[in-house]
Amino acid sequence: MEFYSAIVTFFQQGGFFIYPIALVFALGLAITVERWRFLKREKVRNLKAFDDFLPLLRTDDHEKMTLFTRDNTAPVSRMIGCGLDMMKVTKMRADVEQAMSEGMMESVPRLEQRTGYLAVLANVATLLGLLGTIIGLIAAFTAVASADPAEKSRLLSESISVAMNTTAFGLIAAIPLLVFHAVLTNKTNAIIGSIEMAGVKFLNVMTLNRAIEAGMPKSQ
């Protein structure tokens, strides 16, 4: 109960800029929760898609592999599907890699979407805190200049309290948002790295299969 009362008092003494900072912080938390759930789901989908694709990759059945990538919507499936389509046109590994890179470029923006806003919101919260501090200090000196001597001390302390509370809350909002941004960025990079690793494995296996086919006698 005392903690709740302290929070209410903090907001009451924080001045106007406490509320836009709170709005920025709430928006950042909403983005964090949405991105965390999305990235967690995409990680599971990619792992499952590649695990299901591996048996087909070992059989070297291009038709079944193509059908699988068309039915599966995971980013790793779309990337491999682009590579399979290019392999019908050319056998050059560089061309297949480029096609798969294009498939990756379709998926990466969805993985990175809105995560960058967290760093922006953290900076906005800090700047709003500083702005509230400046406004509070201006009000403090204005009040001291025009107030009665008996009231100067009280008005000065109230205005400085507003300034300090705004600064503190701006930092309270900014620090977690920066941490969330770093965590989500690392999680996104890990997913992208796993997709790229799956692409390299696919290319290596397909290159090996073609090398084996090229070395077989025509009678076989």
Side-chain angles (χ1 to χ4, degrees):
M1 192 66 180
E2 294 181 359
F3 179 72
Y4 176 76
S5 300
I7 293 177
V8 172
T9 303
F10 180 85
F11 270 81
Q12 290 175 344
Q13 296 178 352
F16 169 77
F17 284 93
I18 283 286
Y19 299 100
I21 295 173
L23 179 61
V24 168
F25 187 44
L27 181 59
L29 290 178
I31 292 175
T32 300
V33 172
E34 186 271 333
R35 286 287 88 192
W36 178 267
R37 295 177 62 182
F38 174 80
L39 292 174
K40 184 177 181 181
R41 184 174 66 250
E42 287 298 293
K43 180 180 180 180
V44 173
R45 287 179 65 221
N46 278 298
L47 290 175
K48 185 178 186 306
F50 192 67
D51 287 343
D52 293 341
F53 181 78
L54 274 178
L56 297 176
L57 182 60
R58 296 190 181 100
T59 62
D60 196 29
D61 189 334
H62 287 210
E63 291 300 324
K64 288 184 179 180
M65 286 190 284
T66 301
L67 290 175
F68 178 87
T69 57
R70 289 177 180 173
D71 293 337
N72 195 290
T73 59
V76 66
S77 297
R78 289 199 295 269
M79 178 192 64
I80 293 174
C82 292
L84 287 170
D85 291 338
M86 181 58 67
M87 289 176 67
K88 297 176 182 179
V89 179
T90 177
K91 295 184 178 181
M92 297 294 295
R93 181 182 174 112
D95 294 334
V96 177
E97 286 181 349
Q98 184 175 1
M100 294 176 69
S101 297
E102 292 177 0
M104 274 287 295
M105 291 174 65
E106 295 177 1
S107 303
V108 168
R110 294 184 67 247
L111 297 174
E112 296 178 341
Q113 191 176 17
R114 287 188 290 279
T115 301
Y117 290 158
L118 294 177
V120 175
L121 291 174
N123 290 329
V124 170
T126 304
L127 293 175
L128 285 173
L130 292 175
L131 181 58
T133 300
I134 293 172
I135 297 298
L137 292 177
I138 291 173
F141 291 119
T142 302
V144 168
S146 59
D148 295 332
E151 294 290 323
K152 285 185 177 181
S153 178
R154 182 182 64 82
L155 293 174
L156 184 62
S157 63
E158 289 179 355
S159 299
I160 291 178
S161 176
V162 169
M164 294 300 101
N165 285 359
T166 306
T167 303
F169 191 56
L171 295 175
I172 289 171
I175 293 172
L177 292 180
L178 288 175
V179 173
F180 296 152
H181 176 263
V183 171
L184 291 176
T185 299
N186 288 337
K187 192 174 184 66
T188 301
N189 291 336
I191 295 174
I192 294 173
S194 66
I195 296 174
E196 292 175 345
M197 181 181 66
V200 172
K201 288 183 178 180
F202 167 77
L203 283 172
N204 289 340
V205 172
M206 298 304 291
T207 302
L208 178 62
N209 290 339
R210 286 189 171 181
I212 293 174
E213 291 176 0
M216 289 181 180
K218 293 183 179 180
S219 60
Q220 296 181 359

